[in-house]
Amino acid sequence: MQTSFSPAQLADPHIAESEKIVRKCVHCGFCTATCPTYVTLGNELDSPRGRIYLIKDMLEAGRAADKETVTHIDRCLSCLACMTTCPSGVHYMHLVDHARAHIEQTYRRPLLDRLVRAALAAILPHPSRFRAALRLAKLGRPFAGLFRSVPALKPVAAMLDLAPASVPAGSRIALPAVHRPQTATRGRVALLTGCAQSVLDPGINEATVRLLTRLGVEVVVPEGEGCCGALVHHMGREADSLAAARNNVDAWTRVLQTGGLDAILITASGCGTTIKDYGFMLRLDEAYAAKAARVSALAKDVTEYLATLDLPAPAMHTGQAVAYHSACSMQHGQKIARQPRELLQRAGFRLVEPREGHLCCGSAGTYNILQPDISARLRERKVKNLAATGAELIATGNIGCMTQIGSRAGMPILHTVELLDWAYGGPKPAALG
Ligand code: SF4
Ligand code: SF4
């Protein structure tokens, strides 16, 4: 795509990066076929190609974001299916991240939108606040219908709908600790315990630590680590997301310097995609660029790391039919397809693949709260495809998808690592009764 940025504009490294990305697009439109919002809404401006044009126009003109551009960028899930499809290697993720930061800096949203976004940014990344908010949501649930009838308050209704009926008790697994291996040591990793996941389902990290320590891996939950910053990053809150990234880079660098690390493990693929991008996000920060690149190079999804270990024979084969739901951040963001499937099969599960596996379930960070209508359409489509597999349960690697799909799936949905822990001698997951 031709561009006409001025030399002065190109002196800004953010503009220079986006210009390089835009120029790679040859407008072929292949990406439209796999874009969930284009497939759902049928509007070119809700396709990757349409959004690239809108972003290019906005940045080239050097103007503040307008309502139309914001509408179509807000509807993007950042699912990155377009990056998997694009034959020209267009790095849409960095382009839309830049556009979101530009929108946040130059566009004044309506008051209620601003309040909802500020509340999400202030609550979700902090486990104690999030836990308190979920408990409060129980009291507000009877009013969800009322909120749904006012368009500007639909996000509040969506939050109430998504809140679980009961909030699990806090788990010690989120506390800083060194979990020693139960057999001869064959590795040492840091584990991101995360923010929302540690509140919604602490059993995922408990299963991870049990499985890894049984396999001879020392697991460090470092002092000072926190939210990866993905939630605020996707809302364009650049300063907040960079602060979260720096905080984690510091926490993991301290562990690296005192005993080394084979990997930094992440059990939520949405977080993994962002942490693998820390090196890019902090590239202009001289004090952090090298450390962040090191952290990104060490970041691995838990299934990526498990696949490098020589696993023993499983303790039991259930032979259960498992539909594997590959989160967008897993398959498109991190290009991890083979490892979780192979691990589940080797552990004795019978894998079945849903149709349209490339399409997002509509979770996408805070998307299911901020864009509840499109999100609900994508969820119904996903749930239908999963049910059609005839599976007994669903496995996935991202807490956002588990929350989104779980409420409607009609069958248990578990994290891949919970099933692996069970197969290799751990307890039966509570969700399986
Ligand atoms: S990230 Fe997903 S929703 Fe956004 S343009 Fe790409 S395919 Fe479409
Ligand atoms: S597939 Fe790639 S090159 Fe083709 S229109 Fe989409 S982003 Fe541009």
Side-chain angles (χ1 to χ4, degrees):
M1 193 178 286
Q2 277 200 332
T3 61
S4 55
F5 289 93
S6 69
Q9 285 178 306
L10 293 173
D12 175 342
H14 298 287
I15 295 282
E17 186 66 35
S18 288
E19 194 250 6
K20 264 198 314 202
I21 298 170
V22 169
R23 283 168 69 91
K24 277 196 165 184
C25 175
V26 295
H27 348 152
C28 63
F30 289 169
C31 52
T32 57
T34 57
C35 171
T37 54
Y38 182 74
V39 168
T40 304
L41 304 170
N43 179 348
E44 171 71 16
L45 292 180
D46 289 313
S47 78
R49 184 173 57 184
R51 291 185 178 113
I52 292 169
Y53 273 114
L54 287 172
I55 296 169
K56 171 186 169 302
D57 283 354
M58 174 175 73
L59 297 178
E60 233 172 31
R63 61 172 163 76
D66 58 31
K67 192 168 183 295
E68 186 187 37
T69 306
V70 173
T71 299
H72 297 292
I73 299 299
D74 280 356
R75 285 184 191 158
C76 170
L77 295 133
S78 278
C79 71
L80 310 181
C82 48
M83 285 183 62
T84 299
T85 313
C86 176
S88 299
V90 172
H91 206 304
Y92 178 83
M93 178 173 94
H94 289 160
L95 186 66
V96 80
D97 286 347
H98 181 195
R100 290 200 161 111
H102 184 81
I103 288 169
E104 185 64 17
Q105 285 157 15
T106 64
Y107 183 71
R108 192 163 170 80
R109 294 177 181 277
L111 179 64
L112 277 172
D113 194 10
R114 268 183 282 145
L115 288 176
V116 168
R117 284 166 183 268
L120 291 172
I123 293 170
L124 290 182
H126 305 279
S128 54
R129 295 181 203 170
F130 184 43
R131 186 173 290 111
L134 288 179
R135 292 197 173 123
L136 270 178
K138 259 168 102 173
L139 304 176
R141 205 190 290 271
F143 305 103
L146 194 67
F147 288 128
R148 207 173 292 111
S149 62
V150 181
L153 292 176
K154 278 185 177 180
V156 179
M159 275 191 262
L160 296 174
D161 287 341
L162 283 165
S166 64
V167 185
S171 166
R172 295 190 62 77
I173 209 73
L175 300 176
V178 176
H179 300 276
R180 304 273 177 217
Q182 293 169 24
T183 56
T185 306
R186 60 163 149 171
R188 185 174 193 254
V189 298
L191 176 68
L192 171 74
T193 55
C195 51
Q197 177 183 286
S198 69
V199 175
L200 289 167
D201 194 346
I204 296 169
N205 285 327
E206 288 169 356
T208 304
V209 171
R210 272 195 309 266
L211 178 61
L212 288 169
T213 52
R214 273 203 312 278
L215 293 169
V217 179
E218 180 168 288
V219 183
V220 183
V221 177
E223 184 86 46
E225 68 172 21
C227 170
C228 70
L231 292 167
V232 283
H233 189 51
H234 290 152
M235 286 194 270
R237 293 175 174 250
E238 201 183 6
D240 292 348
S241 63
L242 294 183
R246 287 189 190 99
N247 174 65
N248 284 334
V249 168
D250 283 340
W252 293 326
T253 302
R254 282 193 295 270
V255 183
L256 258 171
Q257 288 166 344
T258 52
L261 283 174
D262 300 318
I264 296 164
L265 296 193
I266 299 125
T267 52
S269 58
C271 308
T273 304
T274 298
I275 293 164
K276 287 181 176 179
D277 203 41
Y278 277 1
F280 177 82
M281 288 164 65
L282 289 169
R283 71 198 182 287
L284 304 174
D285 182 334
E286 271 182 35
Y288 277 87
K291 286 188 288 181
R294 176 100 181 100
V295 160
S296 289
L298 281 169
K300 278 192 170 67
D301 183 75
V302 63
T303 57
E304 263 182 303
Y305 181 72
L306 285 168
T308 67
L309 302 179
D310 187 18
L311 296 181
M316 50 119 200
H317 282 256
T318 73
Q320 277 173 307
V322 175
Y324 179 68
H325 164 71
S326 189
C328 297
S329 42
M330 189 75 82
Q331 60 174 321
H332 305 306
Q334 299 184 60
K335 302 280 182 275
I336 300 171
R338 177 182 56 79
Q339 296 93 325
R341 290 178 170 88
E342 284 183 4
L343 285 165
L344 285 167
Q345 279 170 325
R346 276 174 51 193
F349 297 98
R350 189 162 58 78
L351 223 59
V352 288
E353 293 286 340
R355 280 187 62 239
E356 299 186 327
H358 62 283
L359 280 187
C360 183
C361 67
S363 167
T366 54
Y367 192 91
N368 48 7
I369 294 169
L370 296 171
Q371 297 285 336
D373 294 336
I374 304 171
S375 168
R377 288 169 72 177
L378 289 169
R379 180 182 58 201
E380 294 323 310
R381 191 167 178 149
K382 181 63 69 183
V383 164
K384 219 162 120 188
N385 282 326
L386 286 164
T389 62
E392 295 157 76
L393 53 107
I394 303 164
T396 190
N398 193 45
I399 186 69
C401 310
M402 290 171 72
T403 309
Q404 171 83 347
I405 298 170
S407 59
R408 303 291 170 110
M411 61 180 130
I413 179 163
L414 291 102
H415 193 287
T416 306
V417 83
E418 294 179 284
L419 292 175
L420 296 176
D421 176 46
W422 180 32
Y424 286 100
K428 187 175 185 182
L432 295 180

